[in-house]
Structure formats: C-alpha cells, structure tokens
Amino acid sequence: MKEYKYTINGNKYEVAIGDVVENIVTVTVNGEEFKVEMEKEPEPEKKKVVVQPAAAAAKKADDAPKAAGPVDAKNAIKAPLPGVIIEVKVAVGDEVKAGDTVVVLEAMKMANNLTADKAGKVTAVCVSVGESVMEDTPLVVIE
C-alpha cells in the first residue's frame, strides 16, 4: 500500500492507495475508504501490414506493361538480391544505353538502381511496381 500526504488549498489529505484489481482501486483518504474505477488502457492499435499497394495505386504507378508470354531470360537484367520493385523506369520498346537505370529495387531499406549492362531495346518488362522478387529473378529483357 502506498501512502501520500497532500495539501490542497490549505487542506491536508492523507491518501493511501491499495491494491489494484482489474481496473478497481481501493483508495483511503483521511481514513475514509473509496472504491475508484480507473479507465482501462486502450489496446494499442494494430498496424496493418501492406504487402503490395492498392490495385489503383499499382496501376497508376505501373506504366510499363509486363511481358505477355515466356521470356528469354538469358538477356535479362536479374535481381542481385531479394527485394521489392519500387520503380520501373523503362517500357517495352524503349531504347537504352549501357548504364541507364531500368529498375529501382528496395532491399534492406536501401533503394538500388539497377542499370542496363549493354545498349539495346527493351523487349520485355517482367515485373511491376510493388512486386516482391527473389535473387536472380528476371526483371527487364534487353536485346
């Protein structure tokens, strides 16, 4: 039991706080006992985990069409490590030069610019914004 002495507006109070059972506390003020009901603590709000952006946001952000059929992955730029595609900077039919950024991959809280290793024409975009990829996943095919 905790005991406190207070003076409020010149009046002295001796307060003893007893046991707390659920949200009811026994409080004794100057020898008179009171049952005090405390507000329950609100439960922390659970955050929703978003794996991919909403469909409308994904369509808006994803201007590049994905490849329609099977892709020749030998000429593809591949993911160097697992991550999430946060930006696709090319579309099918675009001409790129060696060193141009084609995809931005977020991995380990870092944005990684993935660049074309050779000049050529983009023949397929294999990923979309918000998509999770594993290491060696084909991202963009340049021929």
Side-chain angles (χ1 to χ4, degrees):
M1 184 176 284
K2 294 185 180 182
E3 295 184 14
Y4 302 94
K5 293 182 180 184
Y6 297 103
T7 302
I8 302 173
N9 292 332
N11 297 324
K12 294 187 180 207
Y13 298 94
E14 291 183 18
V15 179
I17 300 176
D19 295 328
V20 178
V21 179
E22 290 186 23
N23 64 328
I24 305 292
V25 181
T26 303
V27 178
T28 306
V29 179
N30 292 341
E32 189 174 344
E33 191 171 290
F34 297 93
K35 296 284 184 190
V36 178
E37 183 177 354
M38 300 186 310
E39 287 186 18
K40 292 184 179 181
E41 290 186 31
E43 290 185 25
E45 187 175 314
K46 294 181 181 179
K47 295 185 179 182
K48 295 180 182 178
V49 176
V50 178
V51 177
Q52 290 186 330
K59 282 186 179 182
K60 178 181 155 198
D62 185 22
D63 298 327
K66 291 178 82 171
V71 174
D72 183 11
K74 70 180 179 192
N75 292 326
I77 295 171
K78 296 181 180 176
L81 64 166
V84 176
I85 304 300
I86 58 174
E87 188 175 0
V88 178
K89 294 189 170 248
V90 295
V92 175
D94 288 355
E95 292 287 333
V96 295
K97 294 180 265 179
D100 286 353
T101 300
V102 293
V103 174
V104 180
L105 174 74
E106 181 181 315
M108 298 185 290
K109 298 183 182 179
M110 297 280 296
N112 300 284
N113 292 327
L114 304 181
T115 59
D117 53 351
K118 64 180 180 180
K121 185 176 185 179
V122 176
T123 58
V125 177
C126 306
V127 293
S128 58
V129 173
E131 185 175 338
S132 295
V133 295
M134 298 303 294
E135 186 175 354
D136 291 329
T137 301
L139 306 173
V140 176
V141 179
I142 299 174
E143 293 187 9

